[in-house]
């Protein structure tokens, strides 16, 4: 039997993770939940983030997922233990995958305010590079602007310049995209950061780790690196949201390369508990 992979995020961001998973494991079926009724997560309190994660993970469990990949750094930073307790299946996060791909001692981390405040990336990087300078910057404006369709707007550019200022001042040479929405800003950040600064997307390392995990569960995912099967795999994924399916489909289009079909689902309290 083929295991269903469950992924969730507050909105579009986790699609950057889904795409990598589809590229590497084109034969693994995926269920993606974008909790768009409650986006953004990253300006919420830790208690809210944990309560939301419990509910979302419970819903994914009811849908029968066999492995959970947290496609949301904010939930990963504040509620990994909640996800593990609720999932009843193996859970893979993004943040502890990062250490294996950092090869610098001057690292910047762009993340949501909640993730930055948690210090989760600093701890993960220090676990393997205890002397590294790690500067975490919370970027409250990014997710709302990205969800609203901005990619190169003056507002986004202004916000990005302010967020990277401390990283430039510290002369970091590596910047971790510590929120799954931010790979969508790669072109803008590449333009604004000095040449040679390496942008790290933790989803790449996390997606690589999924293969051995699936193997240990008796699955033998055929690894696909050439990308020929990307479109069919993405189209086979079931995409669900708690908010408006049409606006999600529109936002997802430029990232997935096609307009996906999107279902609206009701979790128990998306009607307004938060
Ligand atoms: N994309 C998510 C993350 O990786 C959540 C962003 C948000 O909703 O603030 O943190």
């Amino acid at each position: 039997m083929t295991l269903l992979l469950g992924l969730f995020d507050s909105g579009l961001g986790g699609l950057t993770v889904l795409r990598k998973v589809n590229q590497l494991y084109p034969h693994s079926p995926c269920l993606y939940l974008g909790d768009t009724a409650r986006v953004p997560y990253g300006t919420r309190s830790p208690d809210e983030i944990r309560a939301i994660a419990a509910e979302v993970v419970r819903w994914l469990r009811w849908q029968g997922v066999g492995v959970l990949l947290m496609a949301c750094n904010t939930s990963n930073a504040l509620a990994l233990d909640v996800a593990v307790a609720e999932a009843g299946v193996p859970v893979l996060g993004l943040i502890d995958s990062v250490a294996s791909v950092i090869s610098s001692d001057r690292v910047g981390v762009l993340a949501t305010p909640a993730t930055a405040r948690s210090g989760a990336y600093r701890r993960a990087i220090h676990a393997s590079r205890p002397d590294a300078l790690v500067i975490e910057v919370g970027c409250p404006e990014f997710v709302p602007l990205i969800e609203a369709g901005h990619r190169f707007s003056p507002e986004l550019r202004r916000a990005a310049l302010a967020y990277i200022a401390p990283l430039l001042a510290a002369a970091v040479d590596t910047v971790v995209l510590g929120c799954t929405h931010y790979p969508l800003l790669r072109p803008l950040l590449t333009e604004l950061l000095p040449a040679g600064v390496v942008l790290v997307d933790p989803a790449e390392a996390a997606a690589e780790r999924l293969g051995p995990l699936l193997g240990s569960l008796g699955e033998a995912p055929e690894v696909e690196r050439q990308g020929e099967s990307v479109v069919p795999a993405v189209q086979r994924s079931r995409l669900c949201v708690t908010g408006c399916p049409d606006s999600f489909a529109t936002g997802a289009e430029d990232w997935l390369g096609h307009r996906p079909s999107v279902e609206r689902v009701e979790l128990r309290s998306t009607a307004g508990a938060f």
Side-chain angles (χ1 to χ4, degrees):
M1 203 189 94
T2 308
L3 281 181
L4 179 62
L5 308 182
L7 297 91
F8 77 94
D9 183 39
S10 59
L12 292 169
L15 293 179
T16 64
V17 185
L18 178 68
R19 204 170 86 140
K20 287 189 197 315
V21 169
N22 284 157
Q23 279 169 345
L24 285 178
Y25 315 107
H27 306 293
S28 296
C30 295
L31 166 60
Y32 181 88
L33 178 71
D35 190 10
T36 50
R38 297 186 284 208
V39 65
Y41 283 177
T43 45
R44 294 177 182 275
S45 70
D47 284 350
E48 279 180 309
I49 293 164
R50 291 172 66 77
I52 289 172
E55 185 182 65
V56 166
V57 173
R58 230 175 279 139
W59 182 83
L60 286 165
R61 183 180 185 166
W62 293 334
Q63 306 306 308
V65 303
V67 171
L68 178 68
L69 175 53
M70 298 185 82
C72 172
N73 289 274
T74 306
S75 308
N76 187 167
L78 279 305
L80 179 62
D81 59 325
V82 173
V84 168
E86 295 289 347
V89 296
V91 177
L92 191 62
L94 299 171
I95 297 176
D96 59 356
S97 301
V98 81
S100 64
V101 288
I102 297 288
S103 52
S104 160
D105 280 331
R106 301 193 79 79
V107 184
V109 179
L110 298 174
T112 66
T115 301
R117 268 196 304 270
S118 77
Y121 269 106
R122 188 169 15 86
R123 284 192 299 281
I125 294 166
H126 279 164
S128 63
R129 307 184 76 87
D131 299 328
L133 170 74
V134 180
I135 300 185
E136 295 164 288
V137 179
C139 311
E141 289 183 67
F142 274 169
V143 168
L145 288 172
I146 293 168
E147 288 283 330
H150 296 238
R151 297 293 181 270
F152 279 101
S153 68
E155 295 97 303
L156 193 57
R157 191 174 284 270
R158 241 190 330 271
L161 284 169
Y163 299 145
I164 66 173
L167 308 185
L168 297 177
V172 303
D173 58 19
T174 299
V175 173
V176 176
L177 302 172
C179 166
T180 52
H181 282 74
Y182 301 173
L184 295 164
L185 301 182
R186 193 182 269 274
L188 176 65
L189 292 171
T190 302
E191 181 198 316
L192 298 179
L193 288 164
V197 170
V198 176
L199 293 178
V200 173
D201 178 358
E204 285 171 18
E208 295 277 351
R209 285 173 63 206
L210 189 55
L213 175 60
L214 291 174
S216 73
L217 296 170
E219 295 279 301
E222 265 178 60
V223 173
E224 174 60 70
R225 287 169 195 282
Q226 302 309 312
E228 298 102 351
S229 304
V230 171
V231 171
V234 169
Q235 286 173 354
R236 273 204 316 277
S237 297
R238 180 179 167 211
L239 303 185
C240 300
V241 293
T242 53
C244 172
D246 271 353
S247 38
F248 188 83
T250 302
E253 202 166 348
D254 63 340
W255 186 245
L256 295 180
H258 70 282
R259 187 180 177 82
S261 84
V262 181
E263 267 171 70
R264 183 171 188 284
V265 294
E266 199 75 59
L267 311 185
R268 217 176 17 217
S269 64
T270 40
F274 295 96

